[in-house]
């Protein structure tokens, strides 16, 4: 079987693998291995595709901040369309949830967001289909953006190829052996040899680490369901914000001329080709009927997707504590698209032993707080992740 050599092998062709492969291709030869027939088939192709610095775990939100300028002004030739577009976010509180909404408002202000607090009635000017009698208060935040995930992924892959990087699909890493200072990664399409491996396998990161003979790390996938339906005839949905209830039981948003809704489920899952859960589909439709004036006549599309978390929901980036040539880029949760640009820069920099890029370090990211060796990640008995405030976003 053919053997190819490189400076870096990246395992996984989602946004994490594509972006870190692009970053590393400035330093040497990169081979990107993807087990499916096309990159982006799993989580990356199934996201809600929004970006906000104002939600999510603290370190992820800083990586979103560090990603923003690239997304707003990508390098020359990266994409022929804008990567981000205005969307806005609207949070709704029912009676009894006002304190939760106020706490959320305080947290958003603390993170530097501009917000408007309104009555539920006034919130109809942002999103005319909410049942304003079901809610008492609302909070609008204009900075939330839509991301063109497909253009972002395609841009990274195109730039990677232009730097002589190789993308090999249908190439599942089946065996990883370290010997003589290099890794040999065996796939059905040949063996690939490099001194450094980056594990960007999304829901499969644990499986890949096990193949490499490394200990269990607490980075596990959870399934989330999404459903798409047609909006009411004649409505101009393009300006509607992403709309959440503060109790975190649903969100919906315009998506390519239709409405996407998720019941924000978070069910533990094996790494797999995740499917929409039928009960969650029914719950999503019920939320739309209960909290909006829209009617779901036909489900146009539905899917499941994996979101992979460390127990603290923060990034898992850097060298494995048992093997410095095995670099993790994992634990993206619901932030892997929006924060992926900076996460990849950070992973690539650590992979070449260059430390933390200064702009990322200045935001308070340290080797330790994202390390795969931190206690909650290495401790197999640590509590599994749970949904927390502002974290079901995406
Ligand atoms: C419903 C939903 C909504 C979301 N909304 C948002 C959002 O609004 N904003 C946001 O930023 N994020 C969002 N996310 C999260 C986001 O999609 C993920 O964080 C991100 O896509 C993770 O990218 P990844 O490259 O790590 O994983 P993936 O895209 O899953 O890529 C991993 C790849 O590794 C490959 N692989 C696995 N094992 C092997 C192997 N042994 N050999 C070779 N290849 C292998 C897989 O085939 C896969 O292609 C959402 C997720 C879901 C499910």
């Amino acid at each position: 079987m053919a053997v190819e050599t490189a400076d870096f092998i990246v395992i996984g062709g989602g946004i994490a693998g594509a972006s870190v492969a692009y970053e590393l291709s400035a330093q040497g030869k990169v081979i990107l291995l993807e087990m499916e027939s096309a990159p982006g088939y799993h989580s990356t192709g199934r996201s809600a595709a929004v970006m906000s610095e104002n939600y999510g775990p603290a370190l992820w939100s800083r990586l979103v901040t560090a990603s923003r300028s690239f997304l707003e002004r990508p390098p020359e030739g990266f994409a022929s369309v804008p990567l981000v577009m205005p969307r806005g976010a609207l949070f709704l509180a029912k009676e009894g949830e006002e304190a939760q909404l106020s706490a959320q408002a305080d947290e958003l202000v603390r993170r530097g967001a501009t917000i408007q607090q309104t009555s539920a009635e006034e919130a109809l000017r942002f999103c005319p289909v909410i049942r304003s009698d079901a809610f008492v208060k609302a909070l609008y935040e204009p900075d939330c953006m839509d991301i063109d995930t497909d253009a972002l992924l395609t841009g990274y892959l195109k730039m990677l190829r232009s730097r002589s990087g190789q993308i090999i699909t249908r190439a599942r890493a089946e065996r990883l052996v370290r010997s003589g200072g290099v890794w040999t990664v065996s796939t059905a399409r040949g063996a690939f040899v490099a001194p450094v491996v980056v594990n960007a396998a999304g829901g499969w990161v644990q499986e890949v680490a096990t193949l490499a003979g490394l200990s269990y790390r607490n980075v596990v996938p959870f399934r989330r369901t999404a459903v798409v339906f047609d909006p009411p005839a004649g409505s101009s949905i393009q300006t509607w914000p992403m709309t959440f209830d503060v109790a975190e039981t649903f969100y919906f948003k315009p998506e390519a001329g239709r409405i996407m809704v998720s019941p924000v489920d978070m069910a533990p899952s094996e790494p797999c080709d995740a499917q929409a859960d039928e009960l969650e589909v029914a719950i999503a439709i019920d939320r739309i009927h209960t909290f909006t004036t829209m009617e779901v006549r036909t489900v146009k599309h539905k899917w499941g997707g994996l979101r992979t978390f460390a127990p603290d929901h923060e990034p898992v980036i850097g060298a494995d504590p048992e093997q410095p040539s095995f670099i993790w880029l994992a634990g993206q949760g619901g932030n892997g698209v929006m924060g992926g640009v900076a996460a990849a820069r950070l992973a690539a920099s650590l992979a070449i032993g260059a430390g933390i890029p200064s702009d990322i370090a200045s935001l308070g990211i340290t080797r330790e707080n994202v390390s795969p060796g931190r206690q909650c990640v290495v401790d197999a008995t640590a509590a599994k992740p749970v949904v927390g405030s502002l974290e079901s976003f995406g």
Side-chain angles (χ1 to χ4, degrees):
M1 185 153 289
V3 176
E4 278 214 52
T5 58
D7 297 301
F8 307 97
I9 293 170
V10 175
I11 299 176
I15 195 64
S19 52
V20 74
Y22 159 78
E23 294 295 342
L24 288 170
S25 65
Q27 307 295 329
K29 182 175 171 195
V30 180
I31 294 176
L32 172 66
L33 302 177
E34 167 52 50
M35 68 179 175
E36 303 293 352
S37 57
Y41 176 77
H42 288 289
S43 304
T44 299
R46 306 175 190 209
S47 100
V50 291
M51 162 182 141
S52 175
E53 289 149 77
N54 302 322
Y55 318 104
L59 301 179
W60 269 114
S61 81
R62 293 175 208 177
L63 290 177
V64 178
T65 300
S67 299
R68 192 173 192 119
S69 63
F70 184 105
L71 292 168
E72 289 177 344
R73 289 174 303 281
E76 189 67 30
F78 190 94
S80 54
V81 293
L83 296 176
V84 285
M85 288 141 290
R87 169 57 57 213
L90 182 67
F91 296 87
L92 302 165
K94 296 191 279 294
E95 203 172 332
E97 295 170 354
E98 297 91 332
Q100 212 175 324
L101 194 77
S102 293
Q104 185 140 330
D106 292 347
E107 176 63 10
L108 289 173
V109 169
R110 195 185 65 75
R111 293 188 185 200
T114 312
I115 56 163
Q116 279 179 52
Q117 296 197 60
T118 70
S119 66
E121 192 72 34
E122 285 165 333
L124 285 167
R125 73 192 149 95
F126 299 113
C127 185
V129 290
I130 57 171
R131 282 193 196 279
S132 56
D133 54 354
F135 301 98
V136 288
K137 283 188 81 181
L139 187 161
Y140 179 71
E141 188 268 303
D143 293 338
C144 176
M145 309 277 270
D146 269 352
I147 307 177
D148 188 332
T149 310
D150 189 48
L152 182 62
L153 181 67
T154 307
Y156 273 129
L157 296 173
K158 180 178 75 172
M159 300 301 267
L160 172 63
R161 281 192 198 94
S162 75
R163 290 175 174 174
S164 308
Q166 274 177 269
I167 300 156
I168 304 184
T169 54
R170 297 191 181 87
R172 180 182 196 124
E174 289 166 348
R175 204 159 165 255
L176 280 86
V177 175
R178 177 102 186 150
S179 167
V182 289
W183 288 100
T184 300
V185 182
S186 304
T187 77
R189 299 202 52 194
F192 301 90
V193 174
V196 176
V197 160
V198 179
N199 182 9
W204 288 261
V205 279
Q206 185 52 58
E207 197 175 283
V208 170
T210 303
L211 288 175
L214 300 169
S215 301
Y216 180 84
R217 307 278 173 249
N218 222 337
V219 191
V220 288
F222 291 79
R223 187 216 59 231
R224 177 158 283 183
T225 301
V227 175
V228 169
F229 63 97
D230 277 334
S235 46
S236 333
I237 62 170
Q238 193 39 41
T239 57
W240 295 1
M242 188 158 183
T243 300
F244 305 74
D245 67 331
V246 74
E248 301 192 3
T249 69
F250 71 88
Y251 66 67
F252 67 88
K253 65 167 293 222
E255 182 67 43
R258 292 187 159 140
I259 302 291
M260 169 195 170
V261 55
S262 174
V264 296
D265 48 327
M266 183 161 170
S269 171
E270 292 299 309
C272 64
D273 188 353
Q275 303 297 314
D277 180 271
E278 286 309 321
L279 178 60
E280 297 296 345
V281 170
I283 292 172
I285 295 170
D286 181 64
R287 302 269 196 263
I288 289 294
H289 291 166
T290 306
F291 295 116
T292 80
T293 55
M294 293 187 285
E295 193 186 342
V296 183
R297 288 173 189 269
T298 315
V299 170
K300 293 290 180 186
H301 187 35
K302 60 188 171 183
W303 67 86
L306 298 179
R307 305 183 322 140
T308 299
F309 292 92
D312 57 4
H313 289 210
E314 295 292 9
V316 177
I317 302 178
D320 187 89
E322 290 168 5
Q323 177 46 265
S325 62
F326 185 93
I327 309 298
W328 290 75
L329 175 51
Q332 283 84 353
N335 303 271
V337 181
M338 61 179 109
V341 170
R345 276 204 293 126
L346 173 56
S349 189
L350 294 173
I352 61 167
I356 307 214
S358 57
D359 62 316
I360 296 177
S362 72
L363 295 169
I365 307 276
T366 65
R367 273 178 197 273
E368 291 70 32
N369 60 21
V370 296
S371 169
R374 66 184 186 269
Q375 189 56 30
C376 72
V377 178
V378 294
D379 179 2
T381 62
K384 296 287 178 256
V386 289
V387 180
S389 170
L390 292 176
E391 289 189 2
S392 66
F393 202 74

